[in-house]
């Protein structure tokens, strides 16, 4: 008989609960400690919720992304205006804002020009403290302290909370001491970054960090080091994640897309991927081939004949052919993917230079395929096999890339529900009738939320078994599928017409039909069903989506389904700005409202610092609550309430004597 269990049940505590409470008692060893924590947590529940910022489709646009974080999507300037709307002129406010965005760089300029530097320091420090004070006013003192830079935490705490007529001399003496001991520059940098941090309590990145733009690695460094961020994977992200997992088709595809946008520097210089074997192979095999369809996009006409462009074009074609062969291996191995239409190399008539697609014989624009055996078109040549393995080794052993991909896994997922919002990059696959589409993975059918969860699980297994390719091989295939599969929630089109874009001049063949989701996402009832599928109340919840650029210039609105869904891909990356007409959106969710900030193109970091040119943003109120949203109303509030309940049980256990007080 289990006497221990009987005894604990008699006192109103199960054995399992007592184990938990004894562990909790290690952290809160006395009645006083537990009581104090309950008081603190109860107080936090009654504070306003922190401000969330939602961004998507960064595509390597580091300078723009960095600036949007630095200016908190315009919130820094809003705080400056709140304090100094009538007391400072526009030029002074612009300089103060730029100093907060880029303190190190701006200080270097100002300190060289300013004649009375001590007076400037004194005035500027007072102004920065005021901006910091209004930025911190809705947070607990404990939370503000945690956000403070360690070197100046005590000083900032004193300046924020001890200001007043009775302590003005004390306040001024602190400012003077900072200047006298030569720490003014360091303090300005510290408090500027402190302000930036206060104005973004939580950052949500709704996918597609990679591709198109030149500095995805620097974007990932920011995300890796960010204090509070989550990521919903985009199809471009999973492509790089699959490449880092050693999936050869994905490796070839990542290199191809990088070559297409003349962005191989990210691979070579930023990640140290050795592309010399590819360059050597391409120059020899495609010698004399102009590779016209493979000239990087947006190449100026005067550069087309350059040695650089010629080399990139040949590398581009060489890796594209390899990618098609490797895709063929996966598609033939996985008939359940229903991607037979992507088996195109065997549909080419190599003598006639044509291909048959959907019963139509079409003329190829390029017929030079020196590495393809018409009798076995998906077999890699011996040189291609060797090259594919060298590239795989480089990707698997790139320390920086692996660190960034681990960040995508640790901070990311296929979707997220957070504070009554459903976040995902692409879509929730729907069938022709608008119902959740069933998709087979590992011989089981999944749909809706379960499908997203299963793809998430598959991807994690594929990555963490990357050194054991024989282990769960189908996981690796499904991870690749997320990039371009018809029923991938990260992609959402019937096909990715890669081959057709390169080798055919036929719009019908190049057409990529979107999933039914994209026709129905403007329908309120569809969005209601999706929210309910993910366990959210459709009356107060929203879907936040990216992936498909909003054609603002053509009058398209990012607000869909009567306000149930927001598409916030506004073209942060320059290649998309011709489509969108703007340079990105930020959705801002504070304690009162949902605000959509529409950003104009960012000129450059240099202009922002030297000319004090900020991103011009148009802010539109989408929703406003009459009652302020408090921490107690959020997901964090649910967690805090659970902690309070546990602590109350610990107090009860202390009072009944079933858990020993750990110290006097």
């Amino acid at each position: 008989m289990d006497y221990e269990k009987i005894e604990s049940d008699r006192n109103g505590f199960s054995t399992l609960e007592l184990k938990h409470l004894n562990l909790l008692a290690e952290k809160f060893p006395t009645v006083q400690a537990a009581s104090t924590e309950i008081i603190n947590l109860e107080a936090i529940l009654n504070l306003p919720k922190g401000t969330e910022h939602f961004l998507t489709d960064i595509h390597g646009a580091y300078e723009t992304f960095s600036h949007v974080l630095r200016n908190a999507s315009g919130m820094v300037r809003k705080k400056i205006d709140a304090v100094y709307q009538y007391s400072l002129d526009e030029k002074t406010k612009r300089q103060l804002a730029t100093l907060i965005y880029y303190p190190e760089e701006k200080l270097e300029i100002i300190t060289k020009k300013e004649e009375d530097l001590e007076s400037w320091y004194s005035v500027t420090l007072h102004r920065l403290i005021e901006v910091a004070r209004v930025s911190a006013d809705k947070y607990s003192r404990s939370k503000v302290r945690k956000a403070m830079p360690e070197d100046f935490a005590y000083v900032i705490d004193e300046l924020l909370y001890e200001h007043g007529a009775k302590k003005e001399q004390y306040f001024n003496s602190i400012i003077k001491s900072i200047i006298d001991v030569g720490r003014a520059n360091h303090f300005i940098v510290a408090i500027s970054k402190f302000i930036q941090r206060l104005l973004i309590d939580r950052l949500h990145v709704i996918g597609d960090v990679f591709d198109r733009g030149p500095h995805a690695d620097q974007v990932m460094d920011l995300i890796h080091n960010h204090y509070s961020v989550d990521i919903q994977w985009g199809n471009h992200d999973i492509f790089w994640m699959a490449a880092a997992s050693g999936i050869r088709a994905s490796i070839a595809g990542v290199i191809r897309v990088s070559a297409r946008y003349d962005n191989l520097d990210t691979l070579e210089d930023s990640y140290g991927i050795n592309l010399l074997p590819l360059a050597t192979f391409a120059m020899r095999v495609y010698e004399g081939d102009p590779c016209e369809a493979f000239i990087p996009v947006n190449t100026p006409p005067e550069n087309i004949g350059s040695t650089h462009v010629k080399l990139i074009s040949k590398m581009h074609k060489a890796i594209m052919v390899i990618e098609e062969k490797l895709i063929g291996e996966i598609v033939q191995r996985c008939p359940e993917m229903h991607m037979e239409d992507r088996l195109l190399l065997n549909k080419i008539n190599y003598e006639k230079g044509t291909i048959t697609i959907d019963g139509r014989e079409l003329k190829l624009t390029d017929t030079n395929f020196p590495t393809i055996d018409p009798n076995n078109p998906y077999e890699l040549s011996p040189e291609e096999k060797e090259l594919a393995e060298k590239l795989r080794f480089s990707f698997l052993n790139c320390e920086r890339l692996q660190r960034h991909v681990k960040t995508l896994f640790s901070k990311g997922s296929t979707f997220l529900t957070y504070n009554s919002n459903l976040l995902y990059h692409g879509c929730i696959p729907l069938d022709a009738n608008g119902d959740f589409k069933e998709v087979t993975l590992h011989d089981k059918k999944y749909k809706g939320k379960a499908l997203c969860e299963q793809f998430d699980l598959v991807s994690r297994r594929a990555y963490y078994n990357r050194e054991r390719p024989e282990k769960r091989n189908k996981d690796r295939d499904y991870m690749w599928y997320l990039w371009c599969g018809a029923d991938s929630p990260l992609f959402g089109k019937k096909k990715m017409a890669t081959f057709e874009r390169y080798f055919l001049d036929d719009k019908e063949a190049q057409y990529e039909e979107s999933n039914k989701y994209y026709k129905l996402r403007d329908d309120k009832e569809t969005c209601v069903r999706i929210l309910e599928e993910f366990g959210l109340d459709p009356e107060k919840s929203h879907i936040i989506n990216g992936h498909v650029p909003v054609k603002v210039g053509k009058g398209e609105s990012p607000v869909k389904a009567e306000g149930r869904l927001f598409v916030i891909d506004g073209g942060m990356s320059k290649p998309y700005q011709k489509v969108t007409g703007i340079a990105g959106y930020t959705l801002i969710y504070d304690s009162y409202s949902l605000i959509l900030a529409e950003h104009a193109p960012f000129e450059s970091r240099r202009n922002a610092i030297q000319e004090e040119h900020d991103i011009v943003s148009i802010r539109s109120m989408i929703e406003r609550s009459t009652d302020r949203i408090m921490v107690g109303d959020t997901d964090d509030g649910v967690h805090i309430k659970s902690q309070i309940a546990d602590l109350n049980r610990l107090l009860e256990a202390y009072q009944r004597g079933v858990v020993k007080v750990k110290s006097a």
Side-chain angles (χ1 to χ4, degrees):
M1 184 176 291
D2 192 342
Y3 293 103
E4 181 185 356
K5 185 175 186 304
I6 292 173
E7 180 64 24
S8 61
D9 284 344
R10 190 163 54 237
N11 283 287
F13 296 90
S14 70
T15 303
L16 185 62
E17 186 180 19
L18 283 172
K19 287 181 179 179
H20 169 68
L21 292 177
N22 274 292
L23 288 173
L24 192 61
E26 297 294 330
K27 188 173 182 181
F28 303 101
T30 66
V31 170
Q32 181 180 349
S35 300
T36 300
E37 184 66 6
I38 290 171
I39 294 167
N40 291 339
L41 293 175
E42 289 281 6
I44 290 171
L45 290 175
N46 292 286
L47 287 169
K49 74 174 282 295
T51 302
E52 302 170 56
H53 288 236
F54 303 79
L55 298 166
T56 188
D57 293 271
I58 299 158
H59 287 297
Y62 168 74
E63 282 200 350
T64 303
F65 177 66
S66 174
H67 188 83
V68 168
L69 295 190
R70 290 168 184 270
N71 81 351
S73 303
M75 294 295 290
V76 169
R77 181 54 195 266
K78 185 180 177 184
K79 296 298 181 183
I80 291 172
D81 287 339
V83 181
Y84 297 112
Q85 184 172 3
Y86 302 110
S87 56
L88 295 181
D89 60 31
E90 178 61 25
K91 182 180 178 181
T92 306
K93 286 190 284 188
R94 210 166 52 236
Q95 185 187 82
L96 183 60
T98 306
L99 181 65
I100 293 171
Y101 307 157
Y102 301 99
E104 297 97 337
E105 297 91 334
K106 197 62 182 175
L107 276 169
E108 186 176 351
I109 295 170
I110 292 171
T111 53
K112 289 178 181 177
K113 293 181 178 179
E114 193 64 45
E115 293 180 2
D116 187 355
L117 195 56
E118 186 170 331
S119 295
W120 181 86
Y121 278 141
S122 180
V123 170
T124 301
L125 290 172
H126 277 86
R127 288 172 179 167
L128 289 171
I129 288 294
E130 289 301 321
V131 175
R133 185 175 291 117
V134 298
S135 300
D137 64 0
K138 72 176 182 179
Y139 297 117
S140 69
R141 193 164 179 174
S142 172
K143 183 167 184 173
V144 172
R145 279 176 179 158
K146 289 175 184 176
M148 289 176 186
E150 187 175 339
D151 288 352
F152 293 102
Y154 173 78
V155 174
I156 293 175
D157 188 65
E158 289 292 293
L159 292 173
L160 285 184
Y161 297 107
E162 296 297 337
H163 187 47
K166 293 182 179 180
K167 292 191 174 181
E168 187 171 353
Q169 187 175 347
Y170 172 68
F171 183 90
N172 290 334
S173 69
I174 294 175
I175 297 289
K176 188 175 185 303
S177 295
I178 292 170
I179 298 168
D180 289 346
V181 299
R183 295 289 285 171
N185 279 9
H186 298 282
F187 185 82
I188 288 170
V189 171
I191 199 163
S192 295
K193 293 182 177 179
F194 172 62
I195 291 167
Q196 292 176 26
R197 176 165 179 169
L198 288 173
L199 294 177
I200 301 179
D201 189 58
R202 179 82 174 191
L203 175 65
H204 305 285
V205 179
I206 322 287
D208 276 359
V209 169
F210 286 92
D211 290 334
R212 303 300 199 271
H215 300 299
D217 61 304
Q218 294 179 43
V219 175
M220 281 306 306
D221 282 339
L222 276 180
I223 290 172
H224 176 79
N225 294 318
H226 200 275
Y227 49 90
S228 180
V229 63
D230 53 71
I231 309 157
Q232 291 68 60
W233 305 328
N235 61 318
H236 288 272
D237 302 321
I238 204 73
F239 207 23
W240 281 71
M241 293 159 73
S245 303
I247 300 170
R248 296 186 304 168
S250 301
I251 291 170
V254 161
I255 297 171
R256 173 183 59 78
V257 174
S258 297
R260 178 174 172 79
Y261 291 92
D262 195 7
N263 193 22
L264 292 176
D265 288 349
T266 297
L267 286 167
E268 292 184 290
D269 299 337
S270 302
Y271 285 119
I273 301 296
N274 183 12
L275 296 180
L276 182 60
L278 173 60
T280 304
F281 170 81
M283 287 295 290
R284 185 180 59 77
V285 172
Y286 293 94
E287 184 181 5
D289 187 336
C291 301
E292 291 180 357
F294 298 88
I295 295 171
V297 298
N298 300 322
T299 299
E302 63 271 18
N303 292 346
I304 287 178
S306 69
T307 301
H308 170 78
V309 171
K310 286 180 179 178
L311 175 59
I312 297 298
S313 302
K314 294 181 192 304
M315 293 170 69
H316 190 179
K317 183 174 181 179
I319 201 67
M320 188 271 175
V321 172
I322 292 172
E323 182 188 11
E324 286 296 310
K325 291 183 177 184
L326 294 170
I327 287 171
E329 290 181 2
I330 295 174
V331 172
Q332 291 178 96
R333 188 164 58 236
C334 304
E336 69 274 17
M337 290 180 179
H338 304 294
M339 292 184 70
E340 294 79 10
D341 65 330
R342 295 298 86 206
L343 296 174
L344 296 173
L345 299 185
N346 59 310
K347 296 180 176 67
I348 296 175
N349 185 321
Y350 291 89
E351 292 182 358
K352 292 175 64 178
T354 62
I355 186 170
T356 302
I357 298 177
D358 296 330
R360 296 193 305 142
E361 188 175 38
L362 303 170
K363 186 73 175 175
L364 295 169
T365 56
D366 183 340
T367 59
N368 183 34
F369 300 109
T371 68
I372 295 179
D373 176 2
N375 297 317
N376 194 358
Y378 297 105
E379 183 179 16
L380 295 172
S381 70
E383 283 183 286
E384 287 174 327
K385 283 182 183 177
E386 183 180 358
L387 175 60
E389 282 307 306
K390 286 180 178 178
L391 292 170
R392 182 174 176 271
F393 179 85
S394 289
F395 273 77
L396 282 173
N397 291 280
C398 175
E399 184 178 341
R400 190 173 186 218
L401 176 61
Q402 294 297 337
R403 182 173 72 250
H404 286 165
V405 168
K406 286 174 183 175
T407 297
L408 287 168
F409 275 109
S410 65
K411 299 187 177 185
S413 53
T414 55
F415 73 93
L416 177 69
T417 56
Y418 193 89
N419 289 346
S420 295
N421 291 313
L422 171 60
L423 287 55
Y424 54 82
H425 176 75
C427 69
I428 305 303
L430 304 177
D431 62 20
N433 297 320
D435 297 320
F436 297 119
K437 188 170 184 181
E438 285 192 333
V439 181
T440 300
L441 296 177
H442 290 301
D443 301 321
K444 293 183 179 179
K445 293 185 181 297
Y446 303 91
K447 62 182 180 179
K449 181 183 179 183
L451 177 65
C452 296
E453 291 173 333
Q454 193 62 24
F455 270 127
D456 192 299
L457 182 62
V458 160
S459 299
R460 294 179 193 279
R461 286 199 306 248
Y463 179 71
Y464 288 106
N465 284 304
R466 63 190 180 281
E467 301 292 351
R468 304 170 62 192
E470 79 288 350
K471 183 78 172 174
R472 292 189 179 275
N473 195 51
K474 280 292 180 76
D475 285 340
R476 299 160 58 78
D477 294 337
Y478 289 132
M479 191 180 188
W480 167 82
Y481 177 90
L482 278 169
W483 155 246
C484 62
D487 298 319
S488 163
L490 308 188
F491 178 51
K493 292 183 179 179
K494 189 174 181 180
K495 68 178 182 182
M496 185 178 285
T498 303
F499 182 94
E500 292 89 334
R501 286 196 299 269
Y502 285 108
F503 291 103
L504 295 173
D505 185 14
D506 187 283
K507 297 297 182 185
E508 183 180 340
Q510 293 174 355
Y511 177 68
E512 298 175 342
E513 181 183 348
S514 296
N515 184 268
K516 189 76 170 179
Y517 169 87
Y518 292 101
K519 292 183 175 65
L520 294 177
R521 69 179 181 178
D522 206 17
D523 174 61
K524 176 183 173 182
E525 293 308 313
T526 298
C527 291
V528 165
R529 286 193 297 111
I530 291 173
L531 289 166
E532 289 175 342
E533 167 72 7
F534 285 82
L536 296 176
D537 180 356
E539 292 303 314
K540 62 179 182 179
S541 302
H542 311 89
I543 297 168
I544 304 174
N545 208 177
H547 190 48
V548 178
V550 179
K551 298 177 179 65
V552 180
K554 295 184 178 180
E556 184 181 356
S557 171
V559 182
K560 311 286 185 183
E562 300 178 29
R564 292 296 191 285
L565 184 147
F566 308 122
V567 182
I568 60 169
D569 181 2
M572 185 175 288
S573 180
K574 287 183 180 179
Y576 286 113
Q577 290 172 14
K578 291 179 182 178
V579 176
T580 63
I582 61 171
Y585 288 113
T586 303
L587 188 67
I588 303 165
Y589 184 26
D590 63 21
S591 57
Y592 275 118
S593 54
L594 268 172
I595 301 165
L596 190 69
E598 178 184 299
H599 306 304
F602 180 58
E603 294 180 21
S604 70
R605 180 188 180 99
R606 179 183 178 278
N607 280 356
I609 296 167
Q610 295 189 356
E611 306 299 326
E612 298 173 355
H613 289 172
D614 203 350
I615 291 180
V616 177
S617 301
I618 300 171
R619 298 161 64 87
S620 303
M621 185 79 68
I622 297 176
E623 287 185 7
R624 184 168 179 84
S625 174
T626 53
D627 297 320
R628 197 168 198 182
I629 304 168
M630 312 306 282
V631 172
D633 304 317
T634 68
D635 289 353
D636 285 344
V638 172
H639 178 65
I640 290 171
K641 289 172 185 176
S642 175
Q643 289 179 294
I644 291 170
D646 287 346
L647 287 164
N648 276 317
R649 286 293 279 171
L650 178 60
L651 282 180
E652 188 178 349
Y654 280 152
Q655 291 161 357
R656 292 190 182 190
V658 295
V659 171
K660 294 179 181 178
V661 174
K662 304 298 180 184
S663 62

